[in-house]
Amino acid sequence: MTGVPEFWLTALKSNPQFMESITEKDEEALKHLVDIRLSYFEKPGFRLDFEFSPNDFFTNTILTKTYYYQDELAYGGDYVYGHAEGTKIEWKEGKDLTVTVETKKQRHKGTNKTRVVKKVVPAETFFLFFSPPVAPKEDAEEEDEDDELDQKLEMDYNLGEELKDNVVPRAVDWFTGKALQYQGGDQYDDEFMYDDEDDEEDEDEDEDEDEDDDDDLPTKDEKTPECKQQ
Protein backbone atom coordinates (compact mmCIF):
# COMPACT_ATOMS: atom_id res chain seq x y z
CA MET A 1 0.00 0.00 0.00
CA THR A 2 1.42 3.36 -1.03
CA GLY A 3 0.92 6.64 0.78
CA VAL A 4 1.13 5.33 4.37
CA PRO A 5 4.58 5.91 5.91
CA GLU A 6 6.41 2.69 6.85
CA PHE A 7 3.31 0.62 6.04
CA TRP A 8 5.13 -2.47 4.77
CA LEU A 9 7.91 -2.22 7.34
CA THR A 10 5.30 -2.27 10.11
CA ALA A 11 3.38 -5.12 8.49
CA LEU A 12 6.50 -7.28 8.12
CA LYS A 13 7.69 -6.57 11.66
CA SER A 14 4.29 -7.67 12.99
CA ASN A 15 4.62 -11.09 11.35
CA PRO A 16 6.34 -13.68 13.59
CA GLN A 17 8.20 -15.26 10.66
CA PHE A 18 9.83 -11.97 9.61
CA MET A 19 10.21 -9.90 12.76
CA GLU A 20 13.36 -11.69 13.95
CA SER A 21 15.15 -11.34 10.62
CA ILE A 22 14.72 -7.55 10.43
CA THR A 23 17.65 -5.72 12.02
CA GLU A 24 17.84 -2.03 12.96
CA LYS A 25 19.90 -1.36 9.83
CA ASP A 26 17.31 -3.24 7.75
CA GLU A 27 14.60 -0.95 9.07
CA GLU A 28 16.33 2.09 7.61
CA ALA A 29 16.21 0.47 4.17
CA LEU A 30 12.72 -1.05 4.55
CA LYS A 31 11.29 2.37 5.36
CA HIS A 32 11.58 2.91 1.60
CA LEU A 33 9.55 -0.21 0.75
CA VAL A 34 6.38 1.21 -0.82
CA ASP A 35 4.66 -1.91 -2.17
CA ILE A 36 4.75 -5.72 -2.37
CA ARG A 37 2.94 -7.22 -5.35
CA LEU A 38 2.06 -10.87 -5.94
CA SER A 39 1.63 -12.45 -9.37
CA TYR A 40 1.20 -16.00 -10.66
CA PHE A 41 2.53 -17.78 -13.74
CA GLU A 42 0.94 -20.11 -16.23
CA LYS A 43 3.67 -22.52 -15.21
CA PRO A 44 3.26 -23.42 -11.51
CA GLY A 45 4.89 -20.75 -9.41
CA PHE A 46 4.57 -17.15 -8.22
CA ARG A 47 6.54 -13.93 -8.05
CA LEU A 48 6.86 -11.30 -5.33
CA ASP A 49 7.87 -7.77 -6.39
CA PHE A 50 9.20 -5.44 -3.68
CA GLU A 51 9.07 -1.84 -4.89
CA PHE A 52 11.36 0.71 -3.22
CA SER A 53 11.59 4.46 -3.38
CA PRO A 54 15.07 6.01 -3.90
CA ASN A 55 17.28 5.26 -0.91
CA ASP A 56 20.88 5.35 0.33
CA PHE A 57 21.38 1.56 0.26
CA PHE A 58 20.89 0.23 -3.30
CA THR A 59 20.03 1.44 -6.76
CA ASN A 60 17.34 -1.16 -7.57
CA THR A 61 13.79 0.16 -7.63
CA ILE A 62 12.28 -3.35 -7.61
CA LEU A 63 13.63 -6.46 -5.90
CA THR A 64 12.02 -9.69 -7.07
CA LYS A 65 11.75 -13.15 -5.50
CA THR A 66 10.39 -15.91 -7.71
CA TYR A 67 9.30 -19.36 -6.53
CA TYR A 68 8.97 -22.28 -8.94
CA TYR A 69 7.07 -25.50 -8.31
CA GLN A 70 7.90 -28.84 -9.84
CA ASP A 71 5.89 -29.95 -12.87
CA GLU A 72 4.72 -33.13 -11.20
CA LEU A 73 2.17 -32.81 -8.42
CA ALA A 74 2.47 -34.62 -5.12
CA TYR A 75 0.09 -37.35 -4.03
CA GLY A 76 -3.19 -35.60 -3.33
CA GLY A 77 -2.68 -32.91 -5.97
CA ASP A 78 -0.47 -30.51 -3.97
CA TYR A 79 2.33 -28.55 -5.61
CA VAL A 80 5.91 -29.54 -4.80
CA TYR A 81 8.50 -26.81 -4.25
CA GLY A 82 11.19 -26.70 -6.92
CA HIS A 83 13.53 -23.76 -6.42
CA ALA A 84 13.62 -19.99 -5.91
CA GLU A 85 15.45 -17.13 -7.57
CA GLY A 86 16.11 -13.62 -6.32
CA THR A 87 17.22 -10.29 -7.73
CA LYS A 88 20.86 -9.36 -7.39
CA ILE A 89 20.93 -6.29 -5.19
CA GLU A 90 23.06 -3.43 -6.50
CA TRP A 91 24.42 -2.11 -3.22
CA LYS A 92 25.85 1.37 -2.99
CA GLU A 93 29.42 1.67 -1.76
CA GLY A 94 29.71 0.84 1.93
CA LYS A 95 25.97 0.13 2.27
CA ASP A 96 25.84 -3.66 1.74
CA LEU A 97 23.70 -4.97 4.61
CA THR A 98 24.55 -8.61 3.87
CA VAL A 99 28.14 -8.25 5.10
CA THR A 100 30.01 -6.73 7.99
CA VAL A 101 33.57 -5.42 7.88
CA GLU A 102 35.60 -6.46 10.91
CA THR A 103 38.76 -4.49 11.68
CA LYS A 104 41.64 -6.03 13.61
CA LYS A 105 45.14 -4.90 14.48
CA GLN A 106 48.07 -7.25 13.98
CA ARG A 107 51.54 -6.78 15.46
CA HIS A 108 54.61 -8.12 13.67
CA LYS A 109 56.75 -10.19 16.04
CA GLY A 110 60.07 -9.23 14.45
CA THR A 111 59.64 -5.50 13.76
CA ASN A 112 56.97 -4.88 16.43
CA LYS A 113 55.07 -2.84 13.88
CA THR A 114 51.27 -2.98 13.75
CA ARG A 115 48.97 -3.10 10.78
CA VAL A 116 45.20 -2.90 10.37
CA VAL A 117 43.51 -5.89 8.74
CA LYS A 118 39.95 -5.72 7.46
CA LYS A 119 37.88 -8.86 7.02
CA VAL A 120 34.46 -9.10 5.37
CA VAL A 121 32.09 -11.56 7.09
CA PRO A 122 28.44 -12.43 6.35
CA ALA A 123 25.79 -10.57 8.34
CA GLU A 124 22.29 -11.55 9.36
CA THR A 125 19.79 -9.43 7.45
CA PHE A 126 16.31 -9.53 5.96
CA PHE A 127 17.82 -8.93 2.53
CA LEU A 128 19.31 -12.44 2.45
CA PHE A 129 15.75 -13.32 1.42
CA PHE A 130 16.76 -12.31 -2.12
CA SER A 131 19.70 -14.74 -2.11
CA PRO A 132 17.92 -18.06 -1.65
CA PRO A 133 19.86 -21.25 -0.89
CA VAL A 134 20.48 -23.57 -3.81
CA ALA A 135 19.73 -27.27 -3.56
CA PRO A 136 22.58 -29.60 -4.59
CA LYS A 137 22.34 -31.31 -7.96
CA GLU A 138 21.12 -34.88 -8.03
CA ASP A 139 24.37 -36.10 -9.59
CA ALA A 140 26.51 -34.47 -6.92
CA GLU A 141 29.30 -36.60 -5.55
CA GLU A 142 28.08 -36.39 -1.96
CA GLU A 143 24.83 -38.25 -1.60
CA ASP A 144 24.38 -37.55 2.11
CA GLU A 145 21.70 -34.97 2.79
CA ASP A 146 22.86 -31.73 4.29
CA ASP A 147 20.45 -31.12 7.17
CA GLU A 148 21.43 -27.49 7.52
CA LEU A 149 20.83 -26.82 3.83
CA ASP A 150 17.50 -28.63 3.96
CA GLN A 151 16.43 -26.44 6.86
CA LYS A 152 17.42 -23.30 4.96
CA LEU A 153 15.51 -24.43 1.86
CA GLU A 154 12.42 -25.23 3.91
CA MET A 155 12.62 -21.91 5.76
CA ASP A 156 12.97 -19.97 2.52
CA TYR A 157 9.99 -21.80 1.02
CA ASN A 158 7.88 -21.12 4.12
CA LEU A 159 8.72 -17.41 4.00
CA GLY A 160 7.52 -17.21 0.40
CA GLU A 161 4.32 -19.09 1.22
CA GLU A 162 3.71 -16.82 4.23
CA LEU A 163 4.00 -13.72 2.06
CA LYS A 164 1.77 -15.24 -0.63
CA ASP A 165 -0.97 -16.62 1.61
CA ASN A 166 -1.03 -14.26 4.59
CA VAL A 167 1.07 -11.09 4.50
CA VAL A 168 0.20 -9.67 1.07
CA PRO A 169 -3.54 -10.54 1.06
CA ARG A 170 -4.01 -9.29 4.65
CA ALA A 171 -1.45 -6.50 4.72
CA VAL A 172 -3.78 -4.05 6.46
CA ASP A 173 -4.43 -6.53 9.28
CA TRP A 174 -0.70 -7.03 9.78
CA PHE A 175 -0.14 -3.27 9.77
CA THR A 176 -2.77 -2.71 12.46
CA GLY A 177 -1.81 -5.84 14.40
CA LYS A 178 -5.26 -7.34 14.02
CA ALA A 179 -3.84 -10.39 12.24
CA LEU A 180 -2.03 -11.45 15.43
CA GLN A 181 -5.38 -12.04 17.12
CA TYR A 182 -6.11 -14.90 14.76
CA GLN A 183 -2.77 -16.70 15.06
CA GLY A 184 -3.26 -20.22 16.43
CA GLY A 185 -7.01 -19.91 16.89
CA ASP A 186 -6.73 -19.94 20.72
CA GLN A 187 -9.07 -17.01 21.07
CA TYR A 188 -11.89 -18.76 19.27
CA ASP A 189 -11.28 -22.06 21.06
CA ASP A 190 -11.57 -20.33 24.42
CA GLU A 191 -14.76 -18.57 23.44
CA PHE A 192 -16.38 -21.78 22.27
CA MET A 193 -15.24 -23.54 25.41
CA TYR A 194 -16.83 -20.92 27.60
CA ASP A 195 -20.03 -21.10 25.57
CA ASP A 196 -20.16 -24.88 26.05
CA GLU A 197 -19.75 -24.48 29.78
CA ASP A 198 -22.55 -21.93 29.88
CA ASP A 199 -24.77 -24.28 27.91
CA GLU A 200 -24.05 -27.11 30.35
CA GLU A 201 -24.92 -24.86 33.30
CA ASP A 202 -28.15 -23.81 31.59
CA GLU A 203 -29.05 -27.46 31.00
CA ASP A 204 -28.37 -28.31 34.66
CA GLU A 205 -30.59 -25.43 35.79
CA ASP A 206 -33.36 -26.59 33.46
CA GLU A 207 -33.12 -30.12 34.84
CA ASP A 208 -33.31 -28.82 38.40
CA GLU A 209 -36.39 -26.76 37.56
CA ASP A 210 -38.04 -29.79 35.95
CA GLU A 211 -37.38 -31.87 39.08
CA ASP A 212 -38.90 -29.15 41.26
CA ASP A 213 -41.97 -29.05 39.05
CA ASP A 214 -42.28 -32.84 39.28
CA ASP A 215 -42.26 -32.62 43.08
CA ASP A 216 -45.32 -30.36 42.97
CA LEU A 217 -47.30 -32.84 40.88
CA PRO A 218 -49.56 -35.30 42.83
CA THR A 219 -48.66 -38.96 42.91
CA LYS A 220 -51.00 -41.69 41.65
CA ASP A 221 -52.40 -42.31 45.15
CA GLU A 222 -53.01 -38.64 45.84
CA LYS A 223 -56.12 -36.92 44.57
CA THR A 224 -56.00 -33.61 42.91
CA PRO A 225 -57.56 -31.07 45.30
CA GLU A 226 -60.88 -29.72 44.14
CA CYS A 227 -61.47 -26.04 43.77
CA LYS A 228 -64.48 -25.06 45.88
CA GLN A 229 -66.59 -22.08 45.00
CA GLN A 230 -67.94 -19.95 47.76
Side-chain angles (χ1 to χ4, degrees):
M1 179 178 292
T2 58
V4 180
E6 301 181 18
F7 175 87
W8 285 104
L9 169 60
T10 304
L12 290 172
K13 286 180 62 179
S14 297
N15 185 279
Q17 294 197 41
F18 288 94
M19 62 173 60
E20 294 184 359
S21 66
I22 298 176
T23 66
E24 291 184 4
K25 292 183 179 180
D26 290 338
E27 291 186 23
E28 293 301 315
L30 289 172
K31 287 179 180 179
H32 298 275
L33 178 59
V34 296
D35 198 12
I36 302 178
R37 294 185 294 273
L38 169 67
S39 57
Y40 293 91
F41 307 133
E42 292 183 2
K43 184 177 180 179
F46 61 94
R47 185 180 70 218
L48 295 160
D49 292 324
F50 295 69
E51 182 179 351
F52 288 83
S53 60
N55 59 82
D56 296 331
F57 294 89
F58 44 81
T59 58
N60 310 69
T61 56
I62 295 179
L63 299 180
T64 299
K65 183 70 173 288
T66 306
Y67 287 86
Y68 297 95
Y69 296 119
Q70 297 181 16
D71 293 332
E72 296 182 1
L73 299 178
Y75 181 78
D78 295 330
Y79 286 112
V80 179
Y81 173 61
H83 70 283
E85 298 176 359
T87 299
K88 180 182 178 181
I89 303 177
E90 302 295 337
W91 296 102
K92 295 182 179 181
E93 185 175 358
K95 295 293 185 178
D96 190 345
L97 298 176
T98 63
V99 297
T100 301
V101 178
E102 295 182 350
T103 303
K104 294 183 179 180
K105 289 184 179 181
Q106 291 182 344
R107 185 180 298 275
H108 193 276
K109 294 181 180 180
T111 61
N112 205 30
K113 293 183 178 180
T114 60
R115 64 174 183 175
V116 177
V117 178
K118 294 183 178 181
K119 183 180 179 181
V120 177
V121 296
E124 294 295 329
T125 172
F126 165 82
F127 289 93
L128 290 176
F129 176 74
F130 299 98
S131 300
V134 179
K137 296 181 179 179
E138 294 181 358
D139 57 351
E141 295 181 0
E142 296 183 1
E143 296 181 358
D144 296 337
E145 293 183 357
D146 188 339
D147 293 338
E148 184 177 354
L149 178 58
D150 288 342
Q151 291 178 2
K152 290 181 178 180
L153 287 168
E154 182 177 1
M155 183 180 298
D156 180 72
Y157 170 71
N158 289 335
L159 290 176
E161 291 291 307
E162 180 69 11
L163 284 166
K164 173 175 68 72
D165 296 335
N166 292 322
V167 177
V168 174
R170 300 175 56 196
V172 174
D173 288 341
W174 287 108
F175 174 77
T176 61
K178 184 179 179 181
L180 292 172
Q181 301 176 10
Y182 306 110
Q183 293 296 299
D186 293 338
Q187 176 185 1
Y188 298 106
D189 294 341
D190 291 343
E191 289 179 358
F192 287 130
M193 184 167 57
Y194 294 141
D195 290 341
D196 291 341
E197 290 177 355
D198 293 340
D199 292 341
E200 290 178 2
E201 292 178 359
D202 293 340
E203 290 177 0
D204 292 340
E205 292 177 359
D206 292 340
E207 289 178 0
D208 292 340
E209 291 178 359
D210 291 341
E211 290 178 359
D212 293 339
D213 293 340
D214 292 342
D215 292 341
D216 295 337
L217 294 175
T219 62
K220 293 181 179 179
D221 297 334
E222 294 179 354
K223 296 182 177 180
T224 303
E226 297 179 358
C227 181
K228 296 182 181 181
Q229 295 182 353
Q230 295 182 351

